[in-house]
């Protein structure tokens, strides 16, 4: 099939490249000329494992191209996907649909008779109908076949998630759109992927409720970690026992510094706003939103409380700026709340991230961005781990300790075994674990080297 993908953000680019890999002819379109120019040069605008190789292979096979011109890309198009952003509207927390509607108008102006329009962006209930109306108004006489096909891929595992999803959801009340989608996803269905054909309203609700539920699960794990700390539990063991219950499942049960990224914060706000607007308050999710904001700030209170008094105006080395490992995405990353709060508290911040420093640099004024974690730790009173990059889990802790001035390692991702940290002469604080039991025959903890300030 000939596909046009409008929008080359995370969702659009990954979907376009993966559809090409499945054998379709795909043109990816974006209004951002720099993005298209870099893609045409073979440069990836995002860091996503495996995506560059897949892109190169499909460009070379002439199944995949990039264009800034929607009209030419719509020529002969069987299915046009809308994969543009739906950011939070500041006034009311609802999803801002202006980019979706603009893309729908542009498609309507240039589509052929028979083109199916599919909404991949995360959109509230009713958007499918609205897009159908836009097309009907702009192109009277042309049948507007519209489907909703939300995307569930995880950044960092996007290619794998697209090619082997837990399920595909297609919402449509139009037979032609439903048939086109059935054909498009047949290769996945043949490999056993469940394809849920439902109404547009259900499809739109499935996507939002999935993200709302995941946010709830993360917030539950965060509060559970606090309880473990208070009563002497170990959150890793508790969540392992919890997650092996098939009704619960192990994923999204790790505590951390609060959820971030381009989806959970924005989609929980839109979900709560949808409930509020329709007199069906989603009070659980409203509370999750509040808890998550408080969670990020509580990390600042905790590190300040753990720092020796003499270091109250000292230096913190932050390891990890991206909202999670294996991405350079810093949208709504906890680091962007926590680092400025540390600076406001009078601390100097040095930071490192394997991939996200370019994206983060303009957002973190006054922060020294360092080439590697050890350089970031140079002269620091405390090291604060915010992202679960595997290279941080593999750090040489004695080397880290030597580079530091102080000795506090505050780990919001529970990457280390407490005994490994303490034998390196570091004072360890993590989440959801009781303070480490002093081991016998343990070398004495090195006296903190906090310079007077
Ligand atoms: P996500 O990462 O969730 O997929 P983004 O908001 O990062 O979403 O990306 C959306 C992309 O869609 C951006 O690159 C933006 O330039 C592009 N875009 C927005 N509106 C249009 C449009 N009308 N036509 C083509 N591209 C568009």
């Amino acid at each position: 099939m000939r596909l046009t993908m409008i929008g080359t953000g995370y969702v659009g680019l990954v979907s376009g490249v993966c559809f090409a890999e499945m054998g379709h002819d795909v043109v990816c379109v974006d209004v951002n000329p720099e993005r298209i120019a870099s893609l045409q040069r073979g440069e990836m605008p995002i860091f996503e494992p495996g995506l560059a190789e897949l892109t190169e292979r499909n460009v070379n096979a002439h199944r995949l191209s990039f264009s800034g011109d929607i009209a030419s890309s719509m020529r002969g198009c069987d299915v046009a996907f809308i994969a543009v952003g739906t950011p939070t509207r500041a006034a009311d927390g609802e999803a801002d649909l202006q980019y979706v509607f603009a893309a729908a108008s542009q498609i309507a102006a240039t589509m052929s008779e028979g083109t199916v329009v599919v909404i991949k962006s995360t959109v509230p209930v009713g958007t499918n109908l609205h897009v159908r109306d836009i097309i009907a108004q702009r192109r009277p006489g042309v049948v507007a076949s519209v489907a909703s096909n939300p995307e569930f891929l995880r950044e960092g595992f996007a290619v794998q998630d697209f090619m082997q999803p837990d399920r595909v959801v297609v919402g449509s009340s139009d037979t032609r759109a439903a048939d086109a989608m059935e054909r498009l996803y047949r290769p996945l269905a043949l490999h056993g992927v469940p394809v849920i054909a439902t109404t547009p309203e259900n499809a739109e609700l499935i996507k939002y409720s999935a993200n709302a539920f995941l946010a709830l699960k993360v917030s539950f794990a965060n509060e559970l970690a606090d309880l473990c700390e208070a009563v002497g539990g170990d959150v890793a063991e508790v969540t392992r026992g919890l997650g092996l219950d098939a009704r619960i499942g192990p994923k999204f049960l790790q505590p951390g510094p609060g959820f971030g990224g381009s989806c959970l914060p924005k989609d929980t706000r839109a979900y709560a706003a949808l409930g509020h607007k329709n007199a069906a308050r989603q009070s659980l999710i409203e509370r999750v939103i509040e808890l998550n904001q408080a969670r990020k700030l509580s990390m600042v209170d905790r590190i300040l409380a753990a720092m020796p008094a003499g270091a109250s105006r000292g230096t913190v080395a932050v390891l990890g700026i991206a909202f999670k490992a294996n991405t350079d995405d810093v949208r709504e990353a906890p680091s962007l709340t926590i680092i400025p709060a540390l600076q406001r508290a009078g601390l100097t911040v040095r930071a490192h991230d394997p991939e996200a420093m370019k994206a983060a640099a303009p957002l973190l004024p006054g922060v020294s961005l360092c080439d590697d974690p050890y350089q970031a730790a140079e002269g620091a009173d405390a090291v604060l781990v915010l992202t679960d990059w595997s290279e941080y889990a593999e750090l040489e802790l004695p080397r880290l300790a030597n580079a530091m001035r102080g000795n506090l390692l505050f780990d919001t991702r529970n990457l280390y075994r407490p005994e490994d940290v303490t034998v390196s002469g570091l004072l360890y604080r993590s989440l959801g674990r009781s303070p480490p039991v002093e081991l016998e025959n343990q070398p004495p903890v090195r006296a903190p080297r906090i310079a007077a300030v």
Side-chain angles (χ1 to χ4, degrees), residues 257-279:
F259 58 76
S262 66
C263 294
L264 296 195
K266 154 178 102 65
D267 293 348
T268 43
R269 285 193 294 267
Y271 182 80
L274 185 69
H276 195 259
K277 188 176 167 188
N278 292 282

Side-chain angles (χ1 to χ4, degrees), residues 1-5 23-27 65 72-81 115-116 183-184:
M1 295 170 95
R2 287 193 59 121
L3 313 180
T4 305
M5 188 66 63
H24 302 290
D25 285 331
V26 182
V27 187
S65 61
S72 63
S73 75
M74 286 294 296
R75 236 169 263 140
C77 166
D78 296 307
V79 182
F81 286 88
T115 303
V116 167
R183 207 178 127 200
L184 193 61

Side-chain angles (χ1 to χ4, degrees), residues 87-267:
T88 298
R89 198 162 62 192
D92 49 18
E94 286 185 38
D96 182 349
L97 295 174
Q98 61 169 308
Y99 306 106
V100 171
F101 295 153
S105 296
Q106 289 156 348
I107 290 172
T110 50
M111 67 192 266
S112 338
E113 174 75 55
T115 303
V116 167
V117 178
V118 177
I119 304 168
K120 250 209 180 300
S121 305
T122 300
V123 293
V125 174
T127 309
N128 191 291
L129 282 181
H130 202 127
V131 164
R132 209 173 64 186
D133 289 347
I134 290 174
I135 297 169
Q137 274 165 19
R138 287 210 62 152
R139 292 290 293 273
V142 167
V143 180
S145 296
V146 181
S148 287
N149 173 220
E151 185 50 60
F152 299 93
L153 55 82
R154 292 167 301 167
E155 293 183 16
F157 301 91
V159 171
Q160 178 195 322
D161 283 356
F162 191 92
M163 294 304 218
Q164 295 149 18
D166 290 342
R167 77 305 206 187
V168 168
V169 174
V170 176
S172 186
S173 40
D174 179 279
T175 321
R176 188 165 58 176
D179 288 349
M181 297 305 283
E182 194 276 324
R183 207 178 127 200
L184 193 61
Y185 282 110
R186 199 174 299 149
L188 297 188
L190 288 173
H191 281 96
V193 173
V195 178
I196 300 175
T198 185
T199 64
E201 291 76 16
N202 288 339
E204 289 160 344
L205 279 168
I206 288 168
K207 172 67 192 185
Y208 271 123
S209 55
N211 275 350
F213 193 79
L214 293 174
L216 181 74
K217 228 175 152 187
V218 173
S219 294
F220 180 84
N222 286 339
E223 290 208 308
L224 176 61
D226 291 350
L227 186 61
C228 289
E229 271 167 48
V231 299
D234 179 335
V235 73
E237 292 187 20
V238 176
T239 51
R240 185 166 147 73
L242 186 62
L244 284 170
D245 186 326
R247 294 168 301 177
I248 297 173
K251 292 179 182 160
F252 278 69
L253 271 184
Q254 287 74 37
F259 58 76
S262 66
C263 294
L264 296 195
K266 154 178 102 65
D267 293 348

